[in-house]
Structure formats: structure tokens, C-alpha cells
């Protein structure tokens, strides 16, 4: 079950952020996810599926919209996006060619759908200014250095239309019993966690002038996720 959390009650500890800053270089992320692409769906369904499903629900996609998923992975969310928006514009990007190949295979099951899947970076989106109605991003900010997050949020803000919707899902700081096991593993071996560690983004969104509508906490197989809905 998810739980709504008041944004004003979310605080960031500078000490904790320093301890758990990203320790896997962005230049290595693509290769890491190329290797784990064949088994990622198993992990995704066991630990991320409830948070991902809630994100799609909050996105509330209407057919004919312009939707971008940044860091599309194996297409678990993108499939649901395209299915809901068959006549709209659906763009998916990822750093990992292995993940994109899995996504293409998944999306090939949808006949007559409109979508594009390409390799791309969230730091430089190949998308026009204020052209996107909904931007979805699953499990990527937990890979970034804290100092890089603002740059990506500015790029997201650039491509979103005024009043456009941003839906984020991330590994987050654990709030329930047992959730700390994943950050413990990360401290020992970041690559074992695919480079992911717990982060909290609501305040960072507000610092970039996004209006945060809701932030919900999910825990599945002890794995802690946050789902954030915000507007430009």
C-alpha cells in the first residue's frame, strides 16, 4: 500500500546525502544495464511493480497527448503509456542499448501504435521546448549525483508544456522495517544495486519551481520507492 506524505515534512540530511551520493559514474551506467537487461524484468516485477503502476495511474494519460519517458528501461511502463496513447506521440529514451532492445521487443506486441525508442541522455533531451504534456521517469534519479539532479530537472522543465505533468519514481530513503538493507548493500557494492541508492526529490522539485501535488511511499520486497506527481 502507498502512503501520502506531506511535502513540507520531507527533509534532506546533508550528512546522509554525502554518505549516499552516487558512486557509479554515468559513463558506466549504460554498460551496467546492458548486462542486467536480460533479468531486469524479474527484479522490476518483484520490487517496483506497485510503484510503477501507481505512476501510470497518476499520469492519467489521454489519447492524443505528447508523452516522454526518460530512462525507459525494458519498457515496463512505456508499454502501458503507448497502450493508453495509441494516436499520440510517445517517445522513450535510455542510455542502455540492451534495455532498449528489450523495450522494442515488448512494444512490438502492440499493433498500430505510435512510438519512438532511441538512445539518449536526460542531460540533453532531443525534444523541442514546451512540447511535452507528460514526462515520466522511473528509477533514474537514484543513479545521479546530487549535484547533477538540478541540471536534469531544468531539462525536464524545458521540454514540458506550461502546466505539464511530471511523474517520477525512485528508490527512496527507507521508512519501514527492513528497507535499510538495500542502502546497506549499496554502501558495500554500488554495482550490485545497479548504482541505485535511496533519494528524496520533493524538495528538489520545489527548488526548480515545480508544484508538487503528491509524494507517496511504497515498499515491496523491502525495497523502498517514492512516487511523485508534480506540475510545471
Amino acid at each position: 500500500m502507498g502512503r501520502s506524505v506531506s511535502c513540507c515534512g520531507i527533509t534532506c540530511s546533508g550528512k546522509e546525502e554525502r554518505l549516499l551520493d552516487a558512486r557509479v559514474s554515468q559513463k558506466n551506467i549504460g554498460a551496467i544495464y546492458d548486462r542486467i537487461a536480460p533479468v531486469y524484468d524479474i527484479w522490476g516485477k518483484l520490487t517496483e511493480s506497485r510503484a510503477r503502476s501507481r505512476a501510470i495511474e497518476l499520469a492519467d494519460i489521454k489519447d492524443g497527448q505528447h508523452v516522454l519517458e526518460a530512462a525507459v528501461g525494458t519498457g515496463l511502463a512505456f508499454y502501458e503509456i503507448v497502450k493508453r496513447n495509441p494516436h499520440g506521440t510517445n517517445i522513450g529514451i535510455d542510455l542502455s542499448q540492451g534495455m532498449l532492445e528489450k523495450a522494442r521487443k515488448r512494444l512490438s506486441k502492440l499493433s498500430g501504435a505510435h512510438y519512438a525508442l532511441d538512445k539518449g541522455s536526460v542531460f540533453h533531451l532531443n525534444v523541442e521546448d514546451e512540447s511535452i504534456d507528460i514526462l515520466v521517469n522511473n528509477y533514474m534519479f537514484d543513479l545521479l549525483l546530487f549535484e547533477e539532479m538540478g541540471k536534469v530537472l531544468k531539462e525536464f522543465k524545458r521540454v514540458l508544456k506550461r502546466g505539464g505533468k511530471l511523474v517520477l519514481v525512485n528508490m527512496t530513503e527507507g521508512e519501514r522495517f527492513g528497507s535499510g538493507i538495500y542502502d546497506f548493500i549499496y554502501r558495500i557494492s554500488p554495482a550490485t544495486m545497479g548504482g541505485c541508492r535511496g533519494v528524496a526529490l520533493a524538495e528538489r522539485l520545489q527548488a526548480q519551481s515545480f508544484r508538487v501535488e503528491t509524494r507517496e511511499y511504497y515498499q515491496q520486497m523491502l525495497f523502498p520507492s517514492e512516487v511523485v506527481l508534480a506540475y510545471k
Side-chain angles (χ1 to χ4, degrees), residues 3 17 23 45 49 53 76 82 84 88 98 114 122 131 134 136 158 194 220 223-224 227:
R3 179 163 61 85
E17 289 193 352
R23 291 168 53 196
K45 289 175 182 178
S49 57
S53 294
L76 289 168
V82 175
R84 289 161 172 76
H114 295 87
V122 293
S131 62
I134 303 171
V136 178
R158 177 185 70 79
Q220 188 175 351
F223 186 78
V227 182

Side-chain angles (χ1 to χ4, degrees), residues 20 171-187 217 219 222-224:
L20 291 180
M171 180 183 174
T172 195
E173 298 165 4
E175 299 176 15
R176 299 178 188 163
F177 177 79
S179 58
I181 184 63
Y182 292 100
D183 277 341
F184 176 77
I185 295 170
Y186 182 87
R187 293 172 196 271
Y217 179 86
Q219 189 164 308
L222 301 181
F223 186 78

Side-chain angles (χ1 to χ4, degrees), residues 3 27 54 57 78 96-97 106 132 148-149 161 189 205 207 229:
R3 179 163 61 85
K27 67 181 181 182
R54 178 58 174 156
E57 181 181 351
F78 197 61
S96 164
Q97 194 61 50
R106 173 169 276 113
I132 300 297
E148 295 175 333
M149 292 179 179
K161 295 179 180 179
S189 175
L205 286 162
L229 168 64

Side-chain angles (χ1 to χ4, degrees), residues 56-67 80-90 133-134 165:
I56 295 298
E57 181 181 351
L58 288 172
D60 191 25
I61 297 163
K62 302 292 191 296
D63 194 12
Q65 291 183 309
H66 295 266
V67 184
E80 298 300 325
I81 290 169
V82 175
K83 189 165 67 173
R84 289 161 172 76
N85 192 33
H87 302 103
T89 300
N90 302 291
D133 295 298
I134 303 171
K165 188 181 295 185

Side-chain angles (χ1 to χ4, degrees), residues 20-200:
L20 291 180
D21 208 350
R23 291 168 53 196
V24 178
S25 171
Q26 281 293 298
K27 67 181 181 182
N28 297 326
I29 291 296
I32 288 173
Y33 280 86
D34 284 346
R35 290 197 298 270
I36 65 177
V39 297
Y40 186 84
D41 285 355
I42 298 172
W43 168 265
K45 289 175 182 178
L46 287 174
T47 63
E48 303 171 353
S49 57
R50 280 186 281 180
R52 186 180 294 107
S53 294
R54 178 58 174 156
I56 295 298
E57 181 181 351
L58 288 172
D60 191 25
I61 297 163
K62 302 292 191 296
D63 194 12
Q65 291 183 309
H66 295 266
V67 184
L68 166 66
E69 184 178 4
V72 74
T74 62
L76 289 168
F78 197 61
Y79 181 91
E80 298 300 325
I81 290 169
V82 175
K83 189 165 67 173
R84 289 161 172 76
N85 192 33
H87 302 103
T89 300
N90 302 291
I91 304 168
I93 65 165
D94 203 279
L95 281 176
S96 164
Q97 194 61 50
M99 290 292 211
L100 286 169
E101 289 172 6
K102 291 272 288 187
R104 290 189 185 102
K105 184 176 181 180
R106 173 169 276 113
L107 270 294
S108 68
K109 300 172 185 176
L110 291 176
S111 60
H114 295 87
Y115 63 90
L117 281 167
D118 293 296
K119 193 168 184 178
S121 168
V122 293
F123 291 96
H124 303 286
L125 296 171
N126 188 24
V127 179
E128 293 182 2
D129 294 358
E130 298 191 338
S131 62
I132 300 297
D133 295 298
I134 303 171
L135 198 160
V136 178
N137 179 247
N138 285 287
Y139 297 103
M140 184 210 70
F141 276 92
D142 41 34
L143 300 170
L144 298 178
L145 287 164
F146 289 113
E147 66 184 27
E148 295 175 333
M149 292 179 179
K151 300 173 187 176
V152 175
L153 288 175
K154 285 179 181 178
E155 187 69 350
F156 285 2
K157 191 174 181 181
R158 177 185 70 79
V159 303
L160 277 169
K161 295 179 180 179
R162 293 184 182 181
K165 188 181 295 185
L166 177 61
V167 183
L168 302 178
V169 187
N170 310 288
M171 180 183 174
T172 195
E173 298 165 4
E175 299 176 15
R176 299 178 188 163
F177 177 79
S179 58
I181 184 63
Y182 292 100
D183 277 341
F184 176 77
I185 295 170
Y186 182 87
R187 293 172 196 271
I188 297 171
S189 175
T192 300
M193 289 298 301
C196 297
R197 86 291 188 196
V199 299

